[in-house]
Amino acid sequence: MTAPATPIGVFLLDDHEVVRRGLRDLLEAEADLTVVGEAADAREALARAPALRPDVAVLDVRLGDTAEGSDEEGIEVCRELRARMPELACLMLTSFDDDEALFDAIMAGASGYVLKQIKGSDLVSAIRTVASGQSTLDPGATSRVMARLRSTPEPDTPAELARLSPREREILELIGDGLTNRQIAERLYLAEKTVKNRISSILAKLGVGRRVQAAVIAERIRERERD
């Protein structure tokens, strides 16, 4: 393929060095792709990627079970990066065919979701696709996500909402505004880890399992209060 005047800049996030090295070798063998940077964890990715202004970020969904991390931390990185760079296309890379992670990835703004078992040529094709502004997400998968959103349970007001502290209600409203953990932490002068823990508590008290379901509930509360 003829290389464009400006190659597609790709940023890599994976906690395994051998995976990053393999991806770099694969992509840099293509004339129209260049790896502009890489990171081994979420903090490093959020510090480096915005300054490098990649066109596509290839993000590992699961960055390992650590005290500081989470098993879907790559999805939170997607949400954060897209909040800072709305033009960025995120391609999620995972070892697991998991509808729950797919659900979160779509709602975080990912343009694609592929398994690590994918052929190298297909991964290269997926990167080119999302770089062009298209999506590699299966329409059926997107439909399943929207169906699940519509089935988000209505909170039993005031019973369930009364379980939330005033601070948790404030955080719920900001989730409904689409703010990331980092943005909520900055807005409320809290540590990002504190926000993450508070959101886990909010989800448990509302009886939902996903952040986006909490956002739907926050919007329904707003609509009721306007009425």
Side-chain angles (χ1 to χ4, degrees):
M1 132 172 223
T2 302
T6 304
I8 297 167
V10 182
F11 186 88
L12 305 175
L13 169 62
D14 196 289
D15 55 346
H16 294 98
E17 181 185 1
V18 68
V19 174
R20 296 197 309 276
R21 185 175 298 179
L23 287 172
R24 178 182 283 273
D25 290 347
L26 171 71
L27 301 182
E28 297 217 319
E30 302 294 326
D32 63 324
L33 302 178
T34 183
V35 176
V36 297
E38 61 182 65
D41 58 44
R43 183 175 300 180
E44 192 177 18
L46 293 174
R48 290 183 175 181
L52 296 169
R53 308 306 295 182
D55 302 297
V56 177
V58 178
L59 309 173
D60 187 14
V61 170
R62 288 178 170 81
L63 297 175
D65 296 318
T66 65
E68 297 297 323
S70 84
D71 62 357
E72 287 188 6
E73 199 170 12
I75 291 173
E76 184 63 25
V77 171
C78 172
R79 184 180 291 110
E80 291 277 2
L81 289 180
R82 285 195 38 83
R84 302 186 200 184
M85 298 180 289
E87 72 284 359
L88 177 68
C90 291
L91 183 64
M92 309 309 300
L93 192 61
T94 180
S95 301
F96 307 95
D97 190 3
D98 179 358
D99 266 6
E100 293 297 319
L102 172 61
F103 177 85
D104 286 344
I106 291 174
M107 300 316 299
S111 299
Y113 187 97
V114 297
L115 296 177
K116 286 186 177 179
Q117 295 90 323
I118 192 173
K119 292 180 180 178
S121 58
D122 291 337
L123 177 60
V124 167
S125 176
I127 290 172
R128 289 176 180 141
T129 297
V130 299
S132 71
Q134 302 177 66
S135 171
T136 67
L137 293 167
D138 176 61
T142 304
S143 296
R144 289 202 305 274
V145 166
M146 300 316 295
R148 288 184 57 182
L149 273 181
R150 287 191 291 270
S151 67
T152 297
E154 188 78 23
D156 180 16
T157 307
E160 288 182 353
L161 294 179
R163 299 175 193 164
L164 302 184
S165 68
R167 178 62 94 186
E168 288 171 339
R169 282 292 299 268
E170 197 171 7
I171 291 173
L172 178 62
E173 290 175 8
L174 295 176
I175 291 173
D177 288 337
L179 271 64
T180 66
N181 288 1
R182 177 184 59 83
Q183 291 169 328
I184 293 172
E186 290 173 353
R187 180 77 61 90
L188 301 180
Y189 303 101
L190 296 172
E192 195 168 341
K193 188 173 181 181
T194 299
V195 171
K196 186 175 179 180
N197 292 337
R198 290 290 186 101
I199 290 174
S200 294
S201 174
I202 290 167
L203 298 183
K205 289 179 180 180
L206 292 177
V208 297
R210 325 306 295 178
R211 178 196 188 96
V212 68
Q213 291 172 299
V216 171
I217 289 172
E219 182 56 32
R220 288 176 179 170
I221 293 169
R222 278 202 195 98
E223 289 173 357
R224 276 204 303 268
E225 290 175 346
R226 283 197 295 265
D227 295 342

